[in-house]
Amino acid sequence: MTARLAPATSAAIALTASAALLPALAVLGELRPTWVALAAYAALCAVVGGRSRPSAAALIGPAAWLFHNGFVEHRHGALDLAAPAAEAAHVLLLTSAALATALLAAPRGPRRGRRYDLAA
């Protein structure tokens, strides 16, 4: 069984991977607000979330959103909240992708090496 990444480590990986995704989107011609770019960031959140603790999802989603909003939607690193409901939906989508895979990959049941009193 592998150890899950700590929230701070997950956030750092999400920021780094989000920055690394930008050149790939540029090559594909998707540095504009399309569903392809949003789906790519959601997939990135799912991959990082799958290796992270569920509590890290609250950091992974917003970390990816920063790059999506600043470089895909509004170019040149300028964050814009002109449509707060749409941006909230984007953060919720990215965070949900990370949380869903973190919960699916989380270990279940009693941990090995611990004894439980079943009679209590």
Side-chain angles (χ1 to χ4, degrees), residues 102-113:
L103 289 174
L104 288 173
R108 292 174 187 77
R111 294 182 183 163
R112 289 185 176 165

Side-chain angles (χ1 to χ4, degrees), residues 13-33:
I13 290 172
L15 285 169
T16 305
S18 294
L21 182 59
L22 287 171
L25 289 173
V27 167
L28 295 173
E30 292 296 333
L31 278 183
R32 57 185 197 272

